[in-house]
Amino acid sequence: MNTAVKKVNVLDFIRDHIAYLDGGMGSLLQQKGLLPGELPERWNISHPDVITQIQKDYFDAGSNIVCTNTFGANALKFDDDELEAVIRAAVENANRARETSVGTQPKFVALDVGPIGKLLKPYGDLDFEDAVSIYAKTVRIGAACGVDLIFIETMSDSYDTKAALLAAKENCDLPVFVSNAYGADGKLMTGATPAAMVAMLEGMGADAIGANCSLGPGQLAGVVREYLKYASVPVLLKPNAGLPRSENGSTVYDITTDEFSRTVAEFVGDGVGIVGGCCGTTPAYIRALCEKTAGLSHKAIQPKSRTLICSYTHAVEFADAPILIGERINPTGKKRLKEALRNKDLDYILGEGISQQEKGVHILDVNVGLPEIDEAAVLPEICFELQAILDLPLQIDTVNALAMEKALRRYNGKAMVNSVSGREDVMAQIFPLVRKYGGLVVCLTLDENGIPATAEGRVEIARKIISRAKEYGIHRKDLIFDPLAMAVSADPGAAGETLKALNIIKNQLGCHTSLGVSNVSFGLPNRDSITAAFFTMALANSLSAAIMNPNSAEIMKAYYSYNALAGLDAKCEAYIDNISKYAADMPKAEIAFESDLQRAIIKGLKEQAGAITQKLLETEDPLDIVSKQIIPALDAVGKGFENNTMFLPQLLMSAEASQAAFEKIKQKMPANAAADKGKFVIATVQGDIHDIGKNIVKLILENYGFDVYDLGKDVPPERIAEEVIRQNAPLVGLSALMTTTVPAMEATIKLLRQKAPWAKIVVGGAVLTQEYADAIGADYYAKDAMATVRYSEQIVNA
């Protein structure tokens, strides 16, 4: 037993050393007798010696950080008393393992926090704040029990990840590590890239970030490279031991300890500083990893000066190519938008967002500031609704600090924050919000004395803002300066001073710049011409981003022309593809427009889809609307999803829009006339409470005309077989997220073969593969919801 090791802070340790995590827990508990459907967390109380021995074995193998057996310990699974008892016992077990370990390395106990297993609104039914509360309860108990850090892991959704990290930061002062689970496409289930997660998590103050689960180390190479490219905090990696398969009734993995340790060691050499294993790995894997990396020196993470913001799918980097920020969702000078805000005409506002995205902007500015509007209520709502149907990052634009905080808190990603100035009161309000929620801050070069007339005066304010931001822990890479374009009609020298300030801020202060370019032409006729000329001059003087009107042909021509001339458009492809849209003397490219209903469904506009369908029903047959408009629109979205040009949130919002259309159609059709492709029984297997995947599949199947019988989560095999028999259903869908619940899936399949041999069985879930599905006797492995639809259609049409 080792009791002489000096207590070390985990952040100090990872700063100077390679840190070793533990490996899998669930697969080892199965070997020790964990039954299908049994909750592993209860073993903290019923089998404490088993848990402690596994954790001690990891410490003995060389692990520095061992997680408590609390992956699924949350308020959705346990009542308050049992939750506290389970977590308290888990921490005691891990501490006992640390105390009895023979290892002499520094050792830390991490509170393990896994996903709660529900999709958040607008794609699911769980509110963001409810998710934060669920995670907060787990964090508070764990922190009170004396863990050294919080380890948030296996998160497959960016919004869920944000909820967990926010809960950790608000309810303890411990270090927080965050690890996401990526698919074979290098994205999270809901579409986020590693760069997007780096932007959001680093902005919110995570202490280490990275990837775990889903895949073996080699398959995560692209994900790891992206983390190392963008991250300025330590990067962690905890991959599976390859892909699982069933062998003699047991789950085994296809990567040996030698192959695993050799591959992970290469990542350590590249700069990954925190390593371990996930599903299928054992203490032997960790020991081999420690031995394989023993001769490697720790590579300190290097700060990256990359300026990133992100939506829930992707990051936008401010680098060489100019960024376009659409200005149309701002009521200043826009009578129709003012009316829409007053009348709560959401369709018009969302339409403005869609239109700007289609015209090629990279970011949307969102400003709802009207005197008669409760901005603190309306701004977060509009941002939320825009994010439900668009994947563009947003620039949250308000002078109301409360509205800014509410919008930032609910924003899924890392937003632009518009704005601060050199005024001390404004910085004192906004910088703490950015420190907490992350963001790229637009900094106006004005202060209590107004806007300086000279470039030098504006640069001096920029220096002050940089200094003050540093005091709040905000790096200059997260500041973007607006040196303020002034009307040349009032001051002929105004444009020159602004251009000079742009150049100094970018090339001497090392910060990116932004401008509202249309201000320069105020008071002049034919404003677009002079605005476009100024825009080009600003780009030549290092302008990084422009808040602009994408409906202006002159400005868009200037943008594509500049990129071609500046060497930012390889082979002038973007220029050639787009210039015909704006040049009056060129033939316009043919554009195929879908119907209004198809467009509403594809864009995910629920209210609009319902209203259009209601109108169509006055003149068209209901089944014709289904077959000629709704199904083709769904097919277009489905193909986009299958081709990775659309992502899960867009698929879900399109499905909800089509559902709104179907509801109108059902009201006009006899009860027996509805399209019915067949019955489909679906369930999450016994012991597994994660129903995100199941609910997605249900929604998509229903939109394709299947009659879905959803039995819920944690469903015993007998209940599933009973329902299949009762409905004489030709199709059954079984879902499992956790390795420990796959045996329950196998048991269900065996029972279905006995009781309902006619039924075709589809299986899916993060831990499954085609080989694994074959081994447990399934008819089909569906990698996603659309694969389930395609297979089901084959069966009913056979």
Side-chain angles (χ1 to χ4, degrees):
M1 181 170 64
N2 173 47
T3 59
V5 177
K6 181 181 177 181
K7 184 73 173 179
V8 179
N9 179 281
V10 68
L11 295 182
D12 291 336
F13 181 77
I14 65 173
R15 190 174 298 117
D16 301 319
H17 302 83
I18 300 168
Y20 299 98
L21 301 163
D22 57 8
M25 172 63 78
S27 49
L28 294 179
L29 292 182
Q30 284 178 313
Q31 294 175 15
K32 300 291 185 180
L34 181 73
L35 298 175
E38 191 176 4
L39 295 179
E41 295 79 20
R42 287 197 171 120
W43 273 44
N44 290 315
I45 297 171
S46 62
H47 298 74
D49 292 344
V50 173
I51 303 298
T52 298
Q53 185 61 53
I54 291 172
Q55 293 169 328
K56 177 181 179 297
D57 289 345
Y58 278 122
F59 277 130
D60 289 349
S63 292
N64 300 110
I65 301 169
V66 166
C67 289
T68 56
N69 179 35
T70 53
F71 179 85
N74 62 61
L76 293 180
K77 279 188 180 181
F78 303 97
D79 62 33
D80 288 354
D81 290 340
E82 187 177 16
L83 181 63
E84 182 167 358
V86 162
I87 295 174
R88 189 170 297 280
V91 177
E92 291 172 355
N93 294 337
N95 280 330
R96 192 179 307 113
R98 170 165 54 183
E99 293 162 3
T100 57
S101 168
V102 298
T104 59
Q105 76 278 13
K107 304 185 214 42
F108 308 94
V109 171
L111 178 72
D112 194 29
V113 178
I116 52 182
K118 280 186 169 292
L119 207 56
L120 276 57
K121 294 177 181 177
Y123 315 117
D125 57 4
L126 186 66
D127 186 75
F128 176 77
E129 292 297 348
D130 291 336
V132 174
S133 297
I134 290 167
Y135 286 119
K137 190 172 290 188
T138 297
V139 168
R140 283 195 297 269
I141 297 170
C145 291
V147 296
D148 300 302
L149 68 148
I150 310 296
F151 193 99
I152 299 167
E153 64 154 313
T154 323
M155 310 298 284
S156 60
D157 171 45
S158 60
Y159 212 22
D160 196 23
T161 309
K162 177 171 181 172
L165 178 54
L166 190 58
K169 302 292 282 188
E170 289 184 335
N171 290 277
C172 74
D173 58 1
L174 297 171
V176 185
F177 294 5
V178 183
S179 183
N180 289 97
Y182 292 88
D185 61 354
K187 298 180 177 70
L188 301 189
M189 178 186 70
T190 46
T193 63
M197 295 311 298
V198 171
M200 184 181 80
L201 297 175
E202 199 172 288
M204 291 181 66
D207 295 291
I209 57 179
N212 79 291
C213 204
S214 299
L215 302 166
Q219 295 165 299
L220 288 170
V223 171
V224 173
R225 282 194 294 269
E226 199 164 331
Y227 268 91
L228 291 173
K229 176 180 179 180
Y230 290 108
S232 296
V233 297
V235 173
L236 67 88
L237 178 64
K238 209 170 187 276
N240 288 351
L243 298 174
R245 67 178 187 276
S246 182
E247 192 173 278
N248 299 321
S250 299
T251 301
V252 296
Y253 289 77
D254 63 359
I255 292 182
T256 65
T257 56
D258 182 66
E259 182 182 353
F260 179 90
S261 60
R262 184 173 65 251
T263 306
V264 176
E266 292 174 2
F267 294 136
V268 172
D270 293 335
V272 175
I274 307 169
V275 289
C278 201
C279 299
T281 61
T282 66
Y285 282 79
I286 303 305
R287 180 174 289 105
L289 179 57
C290 292
E291 292 171 354
K292 192 73 70 174
T293 56
L296 298 178
S297 58
H298 172 263
K299 282 191 173 182
I301 198 75
Q302 296 300 314
K304 314 297 192 304
S305 296
R306 293 180 177 271
T307 296
L308 298 174
I309 63 168
C310 70
S311 66
Y312 63 85
T313 59
H314 68 282
V316 170
E317 182 175 6
F318 291 73
D320 296 327
I323 301 298
L324 301 181
I325 304 172
E327 69 177 14
R328 300 300 300 166
I329 305 178
N330 185 323
T332 304
K334 302 180 185 71
K335 182 179 178 181
R336 181 65 184 87
L337 183 63
K338 289 179 181 179
E339 292 175 359
L341 288 169
R342 292 186 185 111
N343 299 328
K344 298 183 179 180
D345 184 353
L346 194 59
D347 279 349
Y348 178 81
I349 298 168
L350 297 182
E352 283 291 294
I354 292 170
S355 174
Q356 291 181 93
Q357 182 182 45
E358 290 174 341
K359 287 180 171 66
V361 303
H362 307 102
I363 300 162
L364 292 178
D365 181 78
V366 183
N367 182 312
V368 299
L370 287 178
E372 64 269 38
I373 280 179
D374 181 0
E375 197 173 352
V378 174
L379 181 61
E381 179 189 359
I382 295 299
C383 290
F384 178 82
E385 294 293 344
L386 284 166
Q387 285 208 291
I389 63 165
L390 297 171
D391 66 350
L392 293 183
L394 303 182
Q395 175 171 275
I396 301 173
D397 186 355
T398 178
V399 296
N400 184 322
L402 179 60
M404 180 65 78
E405 175 164 24
K406 288 190 172 183
L408 282 174
R409 185 176 181 88
R410 306 282 301 208
Y411 181 76
N412 188 355
K414 177 184 177 183
M416 288 187 76
V417 176
N418 191 3
S419 57
V420 301
S421 66
R423 288 178 47 179
E424 293 291 345
D425 60 332
V426 175
M427 289 188 284
Q429 285 183 319
I430 301 301
F431 280 152
L433 302 182
V434 175
R435 181 72 178 120
K436 179 175 182 178
Y437 299 111
L440 171 62
V441 190
V442 178
C443 305
L444 308 180
T445 56
L446 60 87
D447 61 12
E448 293 84 353
N449 299 314
I451 303 171
T454 66
E456 290 76 13
R458 297 177 204 182
V459 171
E460 194 56 38
I461 292 175
R463 294 184 193 278
K464 181 174 76 169
I465 294 173
I466 292 169
S467 176
R468 189 69 76 246
K470 187 176 181 181
E471 295 173 12
Y472 286 92
I474 300 170
H475 192 272
R476 69 178 64 206
K477 73 177 181 179
D478 284 325
L479 306 175
I480 183 167
F481 285 88
D482 184 343
L484 300 165
M486 308 297 288
V488 293
S489 59
D491 178 4
E497 292 300 320
T498 299
L499 296 174
K500 183 178 178 183
L502 281 175
N503 214 309
I504 296 172
I505 290 170
K506 179 67 177 292
N507 297 306
Q508 294 185 25
L509 302 189
C511 294
H512 287 286
T513 55
S514 175
L515 277 177
V517 292
S518 63
N519 295 340
V520 77
S521 61
F522 182 79
L524 295 174
N526 195 15
R527 291 185 62 184
D528 278 1
S529 294
I530 199 162
T531 298
F534 175 68
F535 179 36
T536 304
M537 293 172 71
L539 291 173
N541 280 273
S542 303
L543 179 66
S544 307
I547 303 174
M548 43 68 74
N549 178 9
N551 294 329
S552 167
E554 293 295 325
I555 292 174
M556 296 305 293
K557 285 191 291 184
Y559 169 73
Y560 288 113
S561 300
Y562 175 83
N563 282 345
L565 292 169
L568 300 172
D569 180 5
K571 299 180 181 177
C572 300
E573 290 177 354
Y575 178 87
I576 294 168
D577 289 344
N578 290 281
I579 201 66
S580 64
K581 302 174 187 175
Y582 308 106
D585 57 345
M586 289 185 67
K588 301 294 185 285
E590 293 257 343
I591 300 174
F593 291 100
E594 64 274 337
S595 71
D596 288 343
L597 177 56
Q598 287 178 311
R599 185 176 188 275
I601 291 171
I602 290 169
K603 297 298 182 182
L605 300 172
K606 292 182 287 186
E607 293 182 11
Q608 198 175 105
I612 293 170
T613 303
Q614 186 75 55
K615 186 71 175 175
L616 287 173
L617 285 167
E618 296 175 5
T619 58
E620 296 189 28
D621 180 76
L623 287 180
D624 282 347
I625 297 173
V626 172
S627 63
K628 295 178 181 178
Q629 298 211 46
I630 297 177
I631 295 301
L634 282 172
D635 280 338
V637 175
K639 289 173 183 175
F641 178 74
E642 291 166 334
N643 295 331
N644 291 320
T645 58
M646 298 184 78
F647 300 101
L648 181 60
Q650 293 158 297
L651 180 68
L652 293 178
M653 295 310 293
S654 295
E656 290 195 9
S658 67
Q659 235 178 17
F662 275 128
E663 288 303 316
K664 299 295 183 182
I665 286 170
K666 287 177 184 177
Q667 296 170 14
K668 288 282 187 177
M669 294 174 64
N672 61 356
D676 183 4
K677 291 185 178 178
K679 295 180 178 180
F680 192 112
V681 174
I682 193 167
T684 300
V685 299
Q686 188 172 30
D688 203 320
I689 68 159
H690 300 86
D691 60 0
I692 292 176
K694 171 187 70 65
N695 291 343
I696 292 168
V697 171
K698 174 191 174 184
L699 178 62
I700 305 303
L701 282 170
E702 287 177 336
N703 276 276
Y704 273 84
F706 287 90
D707 190 7
V708 182
Y709 294 81
D710 182 4
L711 304 184
K713 58 196 176 187
D714 189 17
V715 186
E718 296 77 14
R719 174 74 184 92
I720 297 171
E722 175 186 299
E723 190 65 23
V724 173
I725 294 168
R726 178 183 294 116
Q727 302 298 337
N728 194 32
L731 289 156
V732 187
L734 304 177
S735 174
L737 176 75
M738 301 165 63
T739 305
T740 54
T741 57
V742 174
M745 180 180 281
E746 185 172 10
T748 303
I749 292 172
K750 288 180 179 177
L751 186 62
L752 285 169
R753 294 304 185 208
Q754 296 171 13
K755 303 289 187 180
W758 66 85
K760 296 295 184 181
I761 303 170
V762 184
V763 297
V767 297
L768 292 171
T769 63
Q770 182 66 59
E771 184 180 4
Y772 207 164
D774 292 341
I776 63 176
D779 293 296
Y780 185 73
Y781 162 65
K783 67 182 180 68
D784 54 43
M786 286 308 303
T788 305
V789 169
R790 302 301 186 212
Y791 175 74
S792 301
E793 288 181 323
Q794 289 177 16
I795 296 301
V796 298
N797 293 331

